[in-house]
């Protein structure tokens, strides 16, 4: 049986058999039986490598943080996670530099970034995913939007519907109007300022298939 530890662009934690490209955590979310009992414990929601310095972990061990998995980095960013400052130091520094270029903070540090992201990704009491509106034309590559049938990745003139196993066939990106954006606004600004997330291989294949 698949564990409930895969994160969607909506920030939901679901059970699917595939692992994804990245791991991350939000603290200890599971009980002794491996059941998810809370959506987060910490403000620091991070996106990590699946392998680092040969460290070995037993997934969902009692008393240890819950290992979460993401299809790719765009998925993690949409859910409100940022690059880990330890295992992904170079990416974290690129993220910080783009954050500063987006005028979100002159010398941003992890606690400051985490505080801003926490207010931008979920409602305080209900923990409901926050969605904001933005013009289609201004959305950067790597942002995620909510369509009628589910999340989709913005990539050039295309929208790539998200699935747990990869991206589906490309749809045309609207040229006018506003989108319902899943990626928190500060991260959208960081993407616009030059941070390029690592995408699942299916993103390239589907965007070139049209």
């Amino acid at each position: 049986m698949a564990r409930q530890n895969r994160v969607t662009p909506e920030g939901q934690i679901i059970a699917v058999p595939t692992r994804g490209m990245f791991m991350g955590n939000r603290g200890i979310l599971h009980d002794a039986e491996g059941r998810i009992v809370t959506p987060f414990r910490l403000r620091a929601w991070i996106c990590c490598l699946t392998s680092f310095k040969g460290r070995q972990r037993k997934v969902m061990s009692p008393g240890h943080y819950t290992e979460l998995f993401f299809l790719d980095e765009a998925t993690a960013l949409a859910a409100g996670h940022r690059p880990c400052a330890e295992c992904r130091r170079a990416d974290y520094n690129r993220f910080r530099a783009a954050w500063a270029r987006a005028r979100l903070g002159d010398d941003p540090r992890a606690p400051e970034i985490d505080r801003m992201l926490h207010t931008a990704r979920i409602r305080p009491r209900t923990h409901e995913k926050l969605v904001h509106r933005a013009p289609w034309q201004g959305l950067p590559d790597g942002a995620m939007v909510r369509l009628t049938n589910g999340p989709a990745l913005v990539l050039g003139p295309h929208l790539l519907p998200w699935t747990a196993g990869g991206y589906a066939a490309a749809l045309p990106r609207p040229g006018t109007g506003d989108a319902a954006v899943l990626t928190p606004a500060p991260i959208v600004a960081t993407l616009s300022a030059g941070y390029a997330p690592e995408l699942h291989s299916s993103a390239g294949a589907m965007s070139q298939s049209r």
Side-chain angles (χ1 to χ4, degrees):
M1 180 180 295
R3 292 182 182 272
Q4 186 184 354
N5 59 8
R6 184 70 170 272
V7 181
T8 76
E10 294 273 2
Q12 299 168 334
I13 305 173
I14 63 174
V16 294
T18 54
R19 184 178 69 174
M21 294 173 59
F22 289 93
M23 188 187 81
N25 82 84
R26 307 173 183 176
I28 302 173
L29 314 183
H30 63 282
D31 62 14
E33 283 72 44
R35 297 171 299 197
I36 298 296
V37 295
T38 184
F40 68 93
R41 295 285 188 191
L42 307 171
R43 284 184 176 178
W45 294 18
I46 60 175
C47 176
C48 304
L49 300 175
T50 57
S51 178
F52 182 64
K53 293 185 176 181
R55 296 177 185 174
Q56 299 292 322
R57 296 180 59 87
K58 183 178 179 181
V59 175
M60 285 188 165
S61 296
H64 295 271
Y65 74 76
T66 304
E67 297 86 352
L68 302 174
F69 295 93
F70 312 93
L71 173 68
D72 60 7
E73 189 175 10
T75 303
L77 294 176
H81 291 245
R82 60 155 174 87
C84 175
E86 182 186 13
C87 68
R88 298 183 61 206
R89 189 70 186 185
D91 292 332
Y92 171 73
N93 286 335
R94 288 195 303 111
F95 187 85
R96 288 183 63 238
W99 186 279
R101 289 196 299 271
R103 298 184 179 180
L104 298 171
D106 293 335
D107 186 24
R109 302 296 176 181
E112 173 191 350
I113 292 172
D114 293 336
R115 282 194 297 271
M116 189 175 293
L117 287 182
H118 201 62
T119 62
R121 64 191 168 212
I122 57 171
R123 298 189 188 280
R125 295 180 180 178
T126 65
H127 300 164
E128 178 187 0
K129 171 74 172 174
L130 284 172
V131 178
H132 60 103
R133 307 291 303 186
W136 281 109
Q137 289 186 329
L139 287 176
D141 287 356
M144 289 270 195
V145 297
R146 179 187 285 169
L147 302 181
T148 303
N149 294 327
L153 173 73
V154 175
L155 192 61
H158 307 299
L159 298 177
L160 304 182
W162 183 95
T163 76
Y167 293 102
L171 304 172
R173 175 177 174 173
T176 60
D178 290 346
V181 186
L182 295 171
T183 307
I187 296 182
V188 172
T190 302
L191 295 174
S192 295
Y195 185 79
E198 189 170 346
L199 303 178
H200 190 263
S201 59
S202 60
M206 290 302 175
S207 65
Q208 294 169 12
S209 65
R210 290 187 62 85

